[in-house]
Amino acid sequence: MNDRLNVLLLGSGGREAAIAWKLSQSPLMGKFFIAPGNAGTSAYGTNLDIRPTDFDAVYAAVAEHGIDLVVAGNEDPLVKGLREQLEAKAAAENRRLLIVGPGAAGAALEGSKDFAKQFMGRYDIPTARHLTVTAGTVAEGDAFLESLKAPYVLKADGLAAGKGVLIIDNLDEAKASLREMLAGQFGAASAKVVIEEFLTGIECSVFVLTDGKGRYVVLPPAKDYKRVGEGDTGLNTGGMGSVCPPPIADDEFMRKVDERVIRRTLDGLISENIDYRGFIFLGLIRCGDEPYVIEYNVRMGDPETESVMPRIVSDLLPVLVEAAEGELRHDSLETDPRTAVAVMAVSGGYPEAYRKGLEITGELAPAESLVFHAGTRLDAEGRILTDGGRVLAAVSYGDSISDAAEKSYRALAGINFDGMYFRRDIGQDLLKF
Ligand code: AMP
Ligand code: GLY
């Protein structure tokens, strides 16, 4: 593989900005496109105004630009069959096309929580006790809720834009919510509801890149901060910051994750004839010293990727190619020993109503930090405007979590938009470990 590769990365968030930043440094990179990208990704490649779920348009870009490798950033196109569609179109034209991201069968690990739970059951992968309920089995759902202790966890089976998980303190409210969900609170996504035992512990995200044949590399682990408020208070968001690596993911914990979660998951996929080539994101909770799977995702995490990518020293592009070819030769990645902390700046009001189109000013290329754009766009005059709730992430390296976080806060102090907000306690909870 000495030739350069033309690459198309799908997505537009901070995750894709971080992946684009990393891939753009590869000596193997030929032409690089991001669809649709954001104001920041245009510094790493060429943005294409294409929706990742518009498979005809994605394939037209593949053909027009001679793309060798497509990397799926987010889950939605994968769950909808991106891989199958692109492969069929490429085969019809005798085009060799590599794709990072599973087919729809593998993407069901994220697209259906019921499937994921059954899968974990079949392969003895540690997870919370659970029951899947439909409109016809509400009484069993009630009985299962009664067997659990508060709080109660209710999850819509299907994709619900990250909003389909409810954690409820009161049994009667949980029963009422179960009925609302089954009646269509999240549309078809909650026609089935998974009821789960609540697990107490510290969450941690582990990312695996696999080639569908049981070979894999583990990326640096990270922890994200989902609540909008300091001290983990307030509403859930897409993520307010991340720390890589979190001290809770020590060697012994990662050894258990490898043995009980990663290997069993990959063996299970092979047993079920699911040719999974791409990232698997293990959303874990550490209860005591033991890992449990909260959820699978079929992509990298956001905002974890913003702190994970900067710590990968190895060239990632050949590793992606090997995974997509089904011939992974790397078994590990060289990593930077420092800690990286990403702090997300969001638009005032997020995750509830917030404004868009606010001009972003200040130092967007600070000396001590990286700035990854998320919800940003360029206007006709070349100004950078906010274009989403999560606007940009400042990421810094440090010898400690506090050191890295302080640098990220300093970077954000030099950036401004109306109503800009960020948490100032990213990683604080980890200092006691
Ligand atoms: P998800 O949208 O699936 O990532 O779930 C949202 C959040 O709900 C997770 O990040 C956890 O904080 C929490 N959660 C989900 N399932 C459980 C569980 N069984 N026990 C405790 N917390 C959970
Ligand atoms: N940070 C959690 C996610 O990407 O789903």
Side-chain angles (χ1 to χ4, degrees):
M1 200 184 64
N2 299 317
D3 294 343
R4 286 172 176 244
L5 294 148
N6 296 336
V7 178
L8 172 60
L9 171 65
L10 302 178
S12 63
R15 167 183 49 215
E16 288 76 21
I19 295 172
W21 169 81
K22 178 65 186 165
L23 293 182
S24 68
Q25 297 168 52
S26 172
L28 293 174
M29 182 61 87
K31 289 188 282 177
F32 184 29
F33 301 90
I34 306 100
N38 58 42
T41 59
S42 50
Y44 314 125
T46 305
N47 287 347
L48 299 176
D49 189 13
I50 291 173
R51 273 184 304 119
T53 49
D54 183 347
F55 301 145
D56 289 337
V58 171
Y59 187 75
V62 165
E64 181 184 345
H65 301 293
I67 297 297
D68 301 293
L69 176 74
V70 173
V71 181
N74 62 322
E75 67 282 4
D76 199 27
L78 295 168
V79 171
K80 292 183 169 137
L82 173 81
R83 170 177 280 277
E84 290 81 351
Q85 296 256 349
L86 292 187
E87 280 180 345
K89 291 174 196 286
E93 293 186 356
N94 264 329
R95 179 186 299 281
R96 181 178 140 84
L97 179 63
L98 295 170
I99 302 165
V100 174
L109 281 180
E110 177 165 359
S112 167
K113 296 203 190 279
D114 177 41
F115 172 77
K117 281 290 191 181
Q118 292 193 25
F119 180 92
M120 289 185 252
R122 284 197 288 279
Y123 303 103
D124 198 21
I125 295 162
T127 189
R129 284 205 299 137
H130 58 95
L131 180 77
T132 299
V133 179
T134 60
T137 59
V138 184
E140 288 160 46
D142 286 345
F144 186 65
L145 284 168
E146 284 161 18
S147 78
L148 299 172
K149 286 205 272 299
Y152 305 92
V153 182
L154 302 180
K155 299 186 175 181
D157 172 53
L159 294 183
K163 297 190 172 70
V165 177
L166 302 183
I167 298 182
I168 299 167
D169 288 322
N170 172 288
L171 178 61
D172 289 329
E173 279 174 32
K175 289 181 180 176
S177 281
L178 172 63
R179 285 163 174 73
E180 280 170 34
M181 288 175 83
L182 291 169
Q185 184 179 1
F186 300 100
S190 62
K192 284 185 195 171
V193 174
V194 177
I195 304 175
E196 268 185 35
E197 169 189 28
F198 183 85
L199 296 175
T200 304
I202 299 168
E203 286 179 57
C204 166
S205 306
V206 172
F207 306 99
V208 179
L209 178 66
T210 184
D211 68 353
K213 302 208 175 65
R215 289 171 293 225
Y216 62 99
V217 294
V218 181
L219 284 75
K223 180 178 191 295
D224 87 340
Y225 290 79
K226 288 206 173 78
R227 301 296 196 96
V228 72
E230 288 171 10
D232 286 329
T233 53
L235 293 173
N236 256 321
T237 70
M240 298 295 293
S242 64
V243 172
C244 175
I248 56 160
D250 56 26
D251 290 349
E252 179 58 12
F253 181 76
M254 292 301 284
R255 194 192 59 71
K256 290 178 183 170
V257 171
D258 186 62
E259 180 187 305
R260 298 179 201 167
V261 183
I262 299 175
R263 288 170 187 265
R264 291 180 194 175
T265 298
L266 299 185
D267 288 348
L269 289 168
I270 291 171
S271 306
E272 306 203 356
N273 288 316
I274 296 175
D275 184 7
Y276 194 114
R277 302 180 192 197
F279 292 106
I280 304 181
F281 165 167
L282 308 168
L284 303 174
I285 191 158
R286 176 172 167 159
C287 302
D289 291 332
E290 308 305 322
Y292 290 83
V293 177
I294 294 266
E295 61 169 352
Y296 287 111
N297 296 304
V298 300
R299 50 170 174 82
M300 291 292 295
D302 197 346
E304 290 95 325
T305 306
E306 289 90 313
S307 60
V308 168
M309 287 296 146
R311 290 198 58 240
I312 298 176
V313 175
S314 309
D315 185 358
L316 189 60
L317 183 51
V319 192
L320 293 180
V321 169
E322 290 171 15
E325 284 175 328
E327 294 289 342
L328 195 54
R329 286 178 288 277
H330 287 75
D331 57 10
S332 62
L333 298 171
E334 190 190 336
T335 55
D336 191 302
R338 293 172 293 176
T339 293
V341 173
V343 180
M344 186 66 74
V346 305
S347 198
Y350 173 81
E352 295 183 289
Y354 58 84
R355 287 180 296 157
K356 285 189 192 177
L358 306 164
E359 185 171 2
I360 305 169
T361 55
E363 183 53 80
L364 290 169
E368 277 195 316
S369 305
L370 295 159
V371 172
F372 293 131
H373 291 226
T376 69
R377 67 178 173 88
L378 290 172
D379 74 2
E381 283 85 54
R383 283 181 303 212
I384 301 172
L385 307 181
T386 70
D387 195 34
R390 292 192 297 166
V391 175
L392 52 83
V395 189
S396 315
Y397 298 101
D399 295 326
S400 66
I401 292 175
S402 306
D403 177 33
E406 283 306 323
K407 287 182 193 157
S408 291
Y409 302 142
R410 274 204 293 279
L412 291 177
I415 298 173
N416 189 55
F417 55 87
D418 198 15
M420 171 171 155
Y421 165 77
F422 57 91
R423 274 178 66 168
R424 290 171 189 273
D425 67 339
I426 301 300
Q428 286 296 312
D429 60 325
L430 296 170
L431 298 183
K432 55 181 180 285
F433 292 93

